[in-house]
Amino acid sequence: MITTFAAALNTGLRRAMEDDAKVVLLGEDIGRLGGVFRVTDTLQKDFGDNRVIDTPLAESGIVGTAFGMALRGYRPVVEIQFDGFVYPAFDQIVSQVAKIHYRTGGKVKAPLTIRIPFGGGIGAVEHHSESPEVYFAHTAGLRVVSPSTPADAYSMIRQAIALDDPVVFFEPKRRYWDKSDVDFDGEPDLPLHKARVCTRGADATVLAYGGTVATALTAAKIAAEEGHSLEVIDLRSLSPIDVDTIAESVDKTGRLVIVHEAPVFAGLGAEIAARITERCFYHLEAPVLRVGGYDIPYPPAKLEKHHLPDPDRILAAVDRCLAA
């Protein structure tokens, strides 16, 4: 079925709630309104306000309440309305949610999924276009994932909810209205933490996640018209990272360009570049390059097109690799 990213998430949440009565949703305006991006549309009507809970505007309280519910056997799914709103809940997530399993020697689990619309590209105001993923990927005890397609949105949200570990689930908000085919009756074609090779190529590997995967695929099409073959990989899991899939590609192409919306400085690309340099040193024909946001607070909406990676910036990095 052809459907949007947001609708695929909605169906994934619905299926998870049908499968397990312990799955509950919490968040600001997710009930009667159906969420700012309508991801939870009609779910309160169908499951009731005891399972789809409109909360106060208090992210620390939302996550703290959900954490307590998780400890009592529920599988709460929290929606943080926008990426920049997660910081009041940061202490709860990194100090409590992430550590409870280790702190108790594995006796206490925290099956909590934290949904965060992230990234730019929608012309939003301040605090509505952040890329905070590296904060959570750096925190031991959290799984961090980001789908890039409707099909992965549907399967990965169900996989995340089914886990006994806390999952921070980053949804690229500028892709909510992207459409593609989703098999709602099929099984996931990949484990949650496996990267996906989107296109095969021989000249260079381009690695992206979230909202930049579509941008990387556009760059690959342009490169093909210019006679260059790019292999595009969708990382999907930001922690843990599927280094094996990336390394297998780089061993073949000899070159790697990493793309993300977050600033390049100390971003996720730096960790991947270090690991691939160690692992693929004798296969690399050029330094690993990164294309990302600039080291500034997210700019006003009218300037964001200059801040976000685009096909031209990706192809410029590919040209640098090929010229090395």
Side-chain angles (χ1 to χ4, degrees):
M1 172 186 286
I2 301 299
T3 191
T4 66
F5 192 108
L9 280 171
N10 179 280
T11 303
L13 291 169
R14 178 179 294 277
R15 294 283 177 87
M17 297 180 75
E18 291 170 346
D19 291 343
D20 188 346
K22 293 292 187 180
V23 175
V24 295
L25 312 185
L26 301 89
E28 299 163 5
D29 299 320
I30 68 168
R32 292 180 62 186
L33 180 65
V36 170
F37 298 102
R38 303 299 186 267
V39 170
T40 54
D41 194 33
T42 73
L43 294 181
Q44 188 181 71
K45 177 176 69 68
D46 294 340
F47 292 95
D49 57 11
N50 287 328
R51 293 190 65 193
V52 182
I53 304 168
D54 279 318
T55 66
L57 307 183
E59 285 75 18
S60 180
I62 296 169
V63 172
T65 300
F67 181 45
M69 295 176 74
L71 299 183
R72 294 302 299 269
Y74 288 90
R75 292 186 176 275
V77 182
V78 166
E79 178 181 297
I80 302 297
Q81 197 170 77
F82 281 92
D83 35 36
F85 299 175
V86 73
Y87 301 116
F90 189 76
D91 180 47
Q92 291 276 8
I93 298 170
V94 304
S95 298
Q96 307 300 328
V97 173
K99 292 180 170 57
I100 190 68
H101 190 78
Y102 182 82
R103 185 185 295 144
T104 62
K107 295 180 181 178
V108 177
K109 299 173 182 178
L112 168 61
T113 302
I114 302 172
R115 295 180 41 241
I116 306 178
F118 86 121
I122 64 168
V125 296
E126 189 176 20
H127 307 309
H128 291 66
S129 300
E130 305 292 320
S131 293
E133 62 269 22
V134 73
Y135 296 130
F136 301 102
H138 181 74
T139 303
L142 298 176
R143 299 176 187 245
V144 185
V145 300
S146 181
S148 69
T149 66
D152 273 349
Y154 169 72
S155 61
M156 289 172 69
I157 192 64
R158 297 186 68 191
Q159 290 171 311
I161 294 170
L163 287 173
D164 287 333
D165 296 325
V167 180
V168 183
F169 195 92
F170 282 103
E171 302 165 8
K173 65 175 77 76
R174 62 171 159 152
R175 302 300 175 198
Y176 275 137
W177 302 275
D178 287 3
K179 292 183 178 181
S180 64
D181 190 45
V182 180
D183 181 3
F184 290 122
D185 297 319
E187 294 297 318
D189 63 342
L190 289 175
L192 182 62
H193 297 297
K194 184 75 172 175
R196 182 186 304 280
V197 180
C198 301
T199 61
R200 298 287 179 180
D203 295 333
T205 301
V206 178
L207 176 70
Y209 60 84
T212 57
V213 174
T215 311
L217 289 169
T218 299
K221 290 180 181 178
I222 297 171
E225 295 171 358
E226 298 173 350
H228 299 306
S229 172
L230 303 185
E231 184 151 295
V232 177
I233 297 178
D234 179 357
L235 186 60
R236 299 175 78 246
S237 177
L238 285 52
S239 179
I241 295 170
D242 178 11
V243 179
D244 289 344
T245 295
I246 306 168
E248 181 180 353
S249 176
V250 174
D251 284 347
K252 177 180 64 174
T253 66
R255 296 170 173 85
L256 176 62
V257 174
I258 305 167
V259 186
H260 53 63
E261 292 187 25
V264 167
F265 180 77
L268 195 67
E271 172 66 22
I272 297 170
R275 287 178 179 259
I276 292 301
T277 299
E278 291 175 2
R279 179 134 166 203
C280 305
F281 185 79
Y282 293 106
H283 291 89
L284 283 168
E285 301 291 341
V288 177
L289 298 182
R290 293 167 290 159
V291 179
Y294 298 108
D295 191 22
I296 59 173
Y298 198 87
K302 64 181 180 180
L303 297 176
E304 69 177 357
K305 68 178 181 180
H306 303 292
H307 179 73
L308 295 173
D310 61 15
D312 286 341
R313 289 176 59 194
I314 295 173
L315 291 171
V318 170
D319 287 344
R320 286 174 58 197
C321 281
L322 295 176

PDB file of all heavy atoms in Angstrom, residues 115-127:
ATOM      1  N   ARG A 115       9.661   8.794  21.211  1.00  0.00           N
ATOM      2  CA  ARG A 115       9.586   9.289  19.837  1.00  0.00           C
ATOM      3  C   ARG A 115       9.932  10.781  19.796  1.00  0.00           C
ATOM      4  O   ARG A 115       9.365  11.571  20.546  1.00  0.00           O
ATOM      5  CB  ARG A 115       8.187   9.084  19.259  1.00  0.00           C
ATOM      6  CG  ARG A 115       7.741   7.638  19.093  1.00  0.00           C
ATOM      7  CD  ARG A 115       6.330   7.568  18.497  1.00  0.00           C
ATOM      8  NE  ARG A 115       6.158   8.553  17.439  1.00  0.00           N
ATOM      9  CZ  ARG A 115       5.258   9.534  17.480  1.00  0.00           C
ATOM     10  NH1 ARG A 115       4.424   9.655  18.493  1.00  0.00           N
ATOM     11  NH2 ARG A 115       5.188  10.404  16.485  1.00  0.00           N
ATOM     12  N   ILE A 116      10.854  11.134  18.894  1.00  0.00           N
ATOM     13  CA  ILE A 116      11.267  12.535  18.783  1.00  0.00           C
ATOM     14  C   ILE A 116      11.301  12.933  17.311  1.00  0.00           C
ATOM     15  O   ILE A 116      12.171  12.476  16.561  1.00  0.00           O
ATOM     16  CB  ILE A 116      12.657  12.774  19.404  1.00  0.00           C
ATOM     17  CG1 ILE A 116      12.702  12.281  20.857  1.00  0.00           C
ATOM     18  CG2 ILE A 116      13.020  14.250  19.336  1.00  0.00           C
ATOM     19  CD1 ILE A 116      14.066  12.433  21.514  1.00  0.00           C
ATOM     20  N   PRO A 117      10.383  13.790  16.847  1.00  0.00           N
ATOM     21  CA  PRO A 117      10.536  14.379  15.511  1.00  0.00           C
ATOM     22  C   PRO A 117      11.794  15.255  15.512  1.00  0.00           C
ATOM     23  O   PRO A 117      11.952  16.103  16.396  1.00  0.00           O
ATOM     24  CB  PRO A 117       9.266  15.221  15.351  1.00  0.00           C
ATOM     25  CG  PRO A 117       8.315  14.706  16.378  1.00  0.00           C
ATOM     26  CD  PRO A 117       9.163  14.239  17.520  1.00  0.00           C
ATOM     27  N   PHE A 118      12.694  15.053  14.541  1.00  0.00           N
ATOM     28  CA  PHE A 118      13.959  15.792  14.603  1.00  0.00           C
ATOM     29  C   PHE A 118      14.360  16.313  13.240  1.00  0.00           C
ATOM     30  O   PHE A 118      13.877  15.877  12.201  1.00  0.00           O
ATOM     31  CB  PHE A 118      15.061  14.910  15.205  1.00  0.00           C
ATOM     32  CG  PHE A 118      15.787  14.009  14.229  1.00  0.00           C
ATOM     33  CD1 PHE A 118      17.158  14.111  14.055  1.00  0.00           C
ATOM     34  CD2 PHE A 118      15.111  13.038  13.507  1.00  0.00           C
ATOM     35  CE1 PHE A 118      17.844  13.272  13.183  1.00  0.00           C
ATOM     36  CE2 PHE A 118      15.777  12.193  12.634  1.00  0.00           C
ATOM     37  CZ  PHE A 118      17.148  12.319  12.468  1.00  0.00           C
ATOM     38  N   GLY A 119      15.277  17.278  13.271  1.00  0.00           N
ATOM     39  CA  GLY A 119      15.842  17.812  12.046  1.00  0.00           C
ATOM     40  C   GLY A 119      15.061  18.982  11.481  1.00  0.00           C
ATOM     41  O   GLY A 119      13.999  19.363  11.981  1.00  0.00           O
ATOM     42  N   GLY A 120      15.610  19.555  10.424  1.00  0.00           N
ATOM     43  CA  GLY A 120      15.021  20.742   9.820  1.00  0.00           C
ATOM     44  C   GLY A 120      14.309  20.450   8.516  1.00  0.00           C
ATOM     45  O   GLY A 120      13.905  19.330   8.236  1.00  0.00           O
ATOM     46  N   GLY A 121      14.149  21.512   7.744  1.00  0.00           N
ATOM     47  CA  GLY A 121      13.544  21.375   6.433  1.00  0.00           C
ATOM     48  C   GLY A 121      12.081  21.709   6.360  1.00  0.00           C
ATOM     49  O   GLY A 121      11.474  21.563   5.299  1.00  0.00           O
ATOM     50  N   ILE A 122      11.470  22.172   7.479  1.00  0.00           N
ATOM     51  CA  ILE A 122      10.041  22.498   7.439  1.00  0.00           C
ATOM     52  C   ILE A 122       9.785  23.982   7.697  1.00  0.00           C
ATOM     53  O   ILE A 122       8.631  24.399   7.847  1.00  0.00           O
ATOM     54  CB  ILE A 122       9.238  21.646   8.447  1.00  0.00           C
ATOM     55  CG1 ILE A 122       9.645  21.956   9.888  1.00  0.00           C
ATOM     56  CG2 ILE A 122       9.397  20.163   8.144  1.00  0.00           C
ATOM     57  CD1 ILE A 122       8.696  21.359  10.921  1.00  0.00           C
ATOM     58  N   GLY A 123      10.842  24.778   7.782  1.00  0.00           N
ATOM     59  CA  GLY A 123      10.665  26.212   7.980  1.00  0.00           C
ATOM     60  C   GLY A 123      10.113  26.571   9.337  1.00  0.00           C
ATOM     61  O   GLY A 123       9.328  27.521   9.462  1.00  0.00           O
ATOM     62  N   ALA A 124      10.535  25.854  10.376  1.00  0.00           N
ATOM     63  CA  ALA A 124       9.993  26.068  11.714  1.00  0.00           C
ATOM     64  C   ALA A 124      10.770  27.155  12.465  1.00  0.00           C
ATOM     65  O   ALA A 124      11.845  27.591  12.049  1.00  0.00           O
ATOM     66  CB  ALA A 124      10.021  24.766  12.505  1.00  0.00           C
ATOM     67  N   VAL A 125      10.205  27.554  13.606  1.00  0.00           N
ATOM     68  CA  VAL A 125      10.831  28.583  14.431  1.00  0.00           C
ATOM     69  C   VAL A 125      11.872  27.952  15.343  1.00  0.00           C
ATOM     70  O   VAL A 125      12.073  26.738  15.344  1.00  0.00           O
ATOM     71  CB  VAL A 125       9.765  29.337  15.254  1.00  0.00           C
ATOM     72  CG1 VAL A 125       8.819  30.071  14.336  1.00  0.00           C
ATOM     73  CG2 VAL A 125       8.986  28.360  16.148  1.00  0.00           C
ATOM     74  N   GLU A 126      12.506  28.786  16.155  1.00  0.00           N
ATOM     75  CA  GLU A 126      13.586  28.337  17.037  1.00  0.00           C
ATOM     76  C   GLU A 126      13.119  27.191  17.946  1.00  0.00           C
ATOM     77  O   GLU A 126      11.970  27.159  18.394  1.00  0.00           O
ATOM     78  CB  GLU A 126      14.064  29.508  17.894  1.00  0.00           C
ATOM     79  CG  GLU A 126      15.329  29.217  18.681  1.00  0.00           C
ATOM     80  CD  GLU A 126      15.825  30.434  19.456  1.00  0.00           C
ATOM     81  OE1 GLU A 126      15.018  31.358  19.684  1.00  0.00           O
ATOM     82  OE2 GLU A 126      16.999  30.451  19.832  1.00  0.00           O
ATOM     83  N   HIS A 127      14.033  26.252  18.199  1.00  0.00           N
ATOM     84  CA  HIS A 127      13.803  25.068  19.041  1.00  0.00           C
ATOM     85  C   HIS A 127      12.935  24.013  18.378  1.00  0.00           C
ATOM     86  O   HIS A 127      12.546  23.039  19.026  1.00  0.00           O
ATOM     87  CB  HIS A 127      13.177  25.449  20.391  1.00  0.00           C
ATOM     88  CG  HIS A 127      13.912  26.503  21.146  1.00  0.00           C
ATOM     89  ND1 HIS A 127      15.268  26.424  21.402  1.00  0.00           N
ATOM     90  CD2 HIS A 127      13.491  27.686  21.678  1.00  0.00           C
ATOM     91  CE1 HIS A 127      15.648  27.507  22.070  1.00  0.00           C
ATOM     92  NE2 HIS A 127      14.586  28.289  22.241  1.00  0.00           N
TER      93      HIS A 127
END
